[in-house]
Amino acid sequence: MTEDNGLPADIALLWGLREAPRRGRKPSLTVDEITRAAMEVADAEGLGAVSMARVAKQLGNSTMALYRHVDSKDALLALMAEAALDEPPALPADGDWRTRLTLWAHSVLKTLRKHPWYARIPMAGPPIGPRNLAWFDSALSTLATTPLREDEKVGVVMGLLTLVHGELRLTSDLEQGYLENPDAFGQQYARALRVLVDPRRLPALAKVVSAGVFDRNDLYDERDVEADFAFGLELYLDGVAAYLARKG
């Protein structure tokens, strides 16, 4: 279904461009109010608790009243994913592409971590909401002075997004696992590996185990999470830098 402006209804909804009903009573709710209520439910109870009925209860309204504004749960999730984003930060005008893109990556990850449920929202398509596109534009702008073609700039940004979203989902899962069973992240893991890892079958992993990499009381530590992401990001950007060097 499309609006009079030619946009698909779900995209028009994200941009606040959906046609208002011309007849009937004045709506008692707004899309922003519905979105905020859904985020409150997700923040307090997790994404699995979000339903049209639960959000209606949060608002003290009927489920049918929500459907006048948001016609499906998928549309509601898209609104939540958009609203969870802050505006992108102002990047230093005098920084090089690597400095600026590093700041961008850390900023988007910090923003998304404010709402752990964000990692559970399915990616239904490319970025299309106003804030998502603002972040996309911000990342692309960091590469403006490089010799990359426009499609290559998009490739670099999409690869970086894969790294960011992978980090977000992995750390979200690990944090939940740690809260449920902290012992699994302690010395019992190292002891189990020493029993199970056969150097003849798993020689590379055996070297890691022998080196004592996992001999720790707490394998999940937020400081390590940040350091691991920073390390992975540096490796990714090293690859981009090598590609730029080859282009001359």
Side-chain angles (χ1 to χ4, degrees):
M1 185 175 70
T2 59
E3 300 293 306
D4 291 345
N5 54 27
L7 289 171
D10 56 343
I11 295 176
L13 183 64
L14 287 175
W15 283 82
L17 299 175
R18 204 161 187 177
E19 297 291 332
R22 296 182 174 85
R23 297 180 181 179
R25 292 181 301 171
K26 183 178 179 181
S28 59
L29 292 172
T30 67
V31 171
D32 286 345
E33 288 171 340
I34 294 169
T35 304
R36 284 197 299 271
M39 293 175 67
E40 289 170 1
V41 172
D43 285 340
E45 304 171 27
L47 190 65
V50 175
S51 67
M52 300 298 275
R54 178 65 184 86
V55 175
K57 181 180 179 182
Q58 184 79 1
L59 290 163
N61 220 309
S62 71
T63 304
M64 290 307 300
L66 268 64
Y67 279 108
R68 292 189 65 192
H69 304 274
V70 182
D71 58 16
S72 70
K73 182 179 176 179
D74 286 345
L76 180 59
L77 292 177
L79 288 165
M80 292 169 63
E82 180 68 20
L85 290 171
D86 298 328
E87 291 295 330
L91 301 176
D94 57 347
D96 60 16
W97 69 267
R98 184 166 186 147
T99 299
R100 287 156 55 86
L101 201 51
T102 297
L103 175 59
W104 181 92
H106 282 287
S107 297
V108 71
L109 186 58
K110 180 180 179 181
T111 293
L112 296 180
R113 279 182 173 156
K114 293 178 182 178
H115 301 285
W117 46 262
Y118 189 97
R120 298 287 182 269
I121 294 183
M123 288 289 175
I128 194 62
R131 290 186 183 176
N132 269 282
L133 290 184
W135 279 92
F136 194 20
D137 179 80
S138 177
L140 290 170
S141 74
T142 67
L143 303 169
T145 60
T146 69
L148 293 173
R149 301 189 310 268
E150 298 306 313
D151 62 313
E152 290 176 321
K153 294 174 187 175
V154 171
V156 168
V157 174
M158 296 308 291
L160 184 51
L161 278 173
T162 300
L163 178 65
V164 168
H165 281 275
E167 174 73 10
L168 180 68
R169 180 62 185 261
L170 179 62
T171 54
S172 175
D173 288 346
L174 289 176
E175 181 179 18
Q176 185 62 37
Y178 179 73
L179 292 174
E180 294 174 358
N181 184 15
D183 289 343
F185 293 78
Q187 288 286 346
Q188 76 172 33
Y189 183 67
R191 288 195 296 268
L193 289 181
R194 290 186 187 281
V195 172
L196 299 170
V197 175
D198 183 344
R200 293 167 298 181
R201 294 185 60 248
L202 305 170
L205 180 56
K207 288 182 179 180
V208 172
V209 174
S210 179
V213 173
F214 302 119
D215 290 335
R216 293 174 48 185
N217 292 322
D218 191 350
L219 287 171
Y220 180 82
D221 186 299
E222 289 186 2
R223 292 169 297 181
D224 289 342
V225 167
E226 295 298 330
D228 287 346
F229 176 69
F231 180 61
L233 177 60
E234 285 300 302
L235 294 180
Y236 179 79
L237 296 179
D238 282 348
V240 175
Y243 182 71
L244 288 171
R246 291 199 301 271
K247 286 182 72 76

